[in-house]
Structure formats: C-alpha cells, structure tokens
Amino acid sequence: QVQLVQSGAEVKKPGSSVKVSCKASGGTFSSYTISWVRQAPGQGLEWMGRIIPILGIANYAQKFQGRVTITADKSTSTAYMELSSLRSEDTAVYYCARGNGSGWFYFDYWGQGTLVTVSS
Amino acid sequence: QSALTQPPSVSGSPGQSVTISCTGTSSDVGSYNRVSWYQQPPGTAPKLMIYEVSNRPSGVPDRFSGSKSGNTASLTISGLQAEDEADYYCSSYTSSSRVVFGGGTKLTVL
C-alpha cells in the first residue's frame, strides 16, 4: 500500500525558510511525480508545484516561482518542499500528493499534511 | 492562473441528488479532459473521487459521477448519504502544464 509520510509541524519567523519532507513507501518512487499543495486556514487547496523524481525536474505555480524549491532524493524515496521569505500568509497545512505516471495532474495518494505557522 | 469557480455551498436531503459545478476557461477545463474531484472531510487530507472528468478510482461508490460540457465540469452525487458531508474541490490541468484548483464547495446533508 502506498503511503506518504510527512515531517512534523513547524513554527517559523517571518523572512525565514521552511523545508518539509515527504517520504514515500509502497509503489515505485521513480515512476510517479510528487506535487505539493497547500491549504491556508479555512481556505481552499492551492497547487504549488511538482517534481518528477526520476528526472529531477520540477515546475512551479507562477505565484511561487522564485520562492519555492521542490527536490527529491531517489535513494530514500523522499521529496522535499522548501519555501523561503516566509510571511504570515504562508501559514497553512502543506500536503504532498502523488501524481500517477502520465496522469500526474490528478493525485491518488496524499500525505497527512504538515502545519507551518509563520509568526513573529 | 485564476482558481476555478465553484459554488461556495450546496445542500440536499438524504437520498436526493446534488450537483456541484466547476467553471474554468478554454485554457484549462475547456481544453482538456483532465478534471479531477476531491472530497475533504474536516481535518483530513483530500481524497480523490473522480479523475479525467468521469473516471472513479477503485473503492469510490458509483453514486459519484463526473461530466463536462465546454468550460464547466460537474460532480453529481446521487443517493446522498450523511457521510458525504464534506468539502469538495475540482482541479484541472492547464495549458501551462500546471494544475489549478477550484475554491471548494461545502456540501451539507440536511
């Protein structure tokens, strides 16, 4: 059974960076993509970007371009999302989600979510 | 890329049918059969209910169905049950090879 297990909650200061991990088990890590989706309190889902682990290629939503970096370590089947220059509006639950091969744009497995709180 | 447009809320009684709409543009919903729907009960991660407009993953009841016409996709839930109460989100692939979500719809089972 596929599982995505994310790192724990974080509290960060404005202007700092956060790096969230997402470890996959079950399935073949290199045969699918990992996207990151965030959800601010009481708000909707927002796609941030994705990575193709086998190629190490990532692309990002225009809104986050220049501020987000998504990477993957094939040896540990772990994806990472780093968001810099944090502001209070970045307070949200961050999810990783698996896109299945050629159907990368729909997400069949999700991590449990990581709450990132940005506060001075 | 603007979010897809969904009604903020819909409601229905047990046994009834409800339909949630998702309106995009010719750069996303209208050009690709790559619309998905997710169910999110409070405090949980989203769950894939429909992919590629009308396909159901294994384990999703056939009470859930999807369709598309032009720039608008729809999710229909028939035989409404109390357990269906949740937030529902649509998403679409876009012409810039990205994904955009709808704003979400809160389904209340009366």
Side-chain angles (χ1 to χ4, degrees):
Chain A
Q1 178 72 332
V2 174
Q3 267 197 308
L4 301 176
V5 179
Q6 299 182 222
S7 49
E10 303 260 15
V11 179
K12 294 293 184 181
K13 300 285 189 189
S16 67
S17 298
V18 67
K19 191 170 185 177
V20 181
S21 68
C22 170
K23 182 172 177 59
S25 61
T28 305
F29 186 65
S30 294
S31 67
Y32 48 82
T33 67
I34 296 289
S35 279
W36 288 88
V37 177
R38 78 176 187 179
Q39 186 170 36
Q43 302 300 308
L45 303 174
E46 187 171 32
W47 185 80
M48 300 179 69
R50 64 144 178 165
I51 188 162
I52 308 171
I54 195 171
L55 299 176
I57 294 174
N59 68 316
Y60 306 114
Q62 190 168 2
K63 174 178 178 177
F64 299 102
Q65 200 87 31
R67 211 161 64 91
V68 68
T69 303
I70 298 174
T71 57
D73 182 340
K74 290 179 290 186
S75 68
T76 60
S77 299
T78 303
Y80 300 90
M81 185 284 300
E82 184 169 22
L83 188 62
S84 62
S85 302
L86 290 169
R87 35 209 188 229
S88 59
E89 310 90 86
D90 294 317
T91 293
V93 175
Y94 289 77
Y95 294 101
C96 62
R98 187 184 89 157
N100 198 344
S102 61
W104 73 264
F105 39 82
Y106 64 88
F107 312 122
D108 55 0
Y109 290 95
W110 293 67
Q112 83 275 20
T114 297
L115 175 62
V116 175
T117 303
V118 183
S119 173
S120 54
Chain B
Q1 183 78 43
S2 299
L4 307 176
T5 301
Q6 299 181 231
S9 63
V10 297
S11 62
S13 299
Q16 289 186 331
S17 294
V18 295
T19 296
I20 301 171
S21 62
C22 170
T23 300
T25 70
S26 58
S27 295
D28 38 66
V29 175
S31 288
Y32 307 96
N33 289 326
R34 295 178 174 183
V35 175
S36 307
W37 290 90
Y38 301 88
Q39 177 192 67
Q40 187 181 36
T44 68
K47 175 186 175 184
L48 178 68
M49 303 302 284
I50 296 287
Y51 66 96
E52 294 176 334
V53 175
S54 59
N55 295 305
R56 276 179 290 105
S58 174
V60 172
D62 59 7
R63 302 185 295 105
F64 291 84
S65 62
S67 62
K68 192 187 86 167
S69 177
N71 293 341
T72 299
S74 298
L75 173 70
T76 298
I77 309 170
S78 58
L80 207 56
Q81 299 181 3
E83 68 204 49
D84 299 332
E85 189 162 289
D87 293 329
Y88 289 83
Y89 294 91
C90 63
S91 73
S92 177
Y93 175 83
T94 78
S95 58
S96 59
S97 298
R98 287 161 172 81
V99 169
V100 62
F101 281 95
T105 299
K106 181 177 180 60
L107 169 62
T108 300
V109 180
L110 302 171

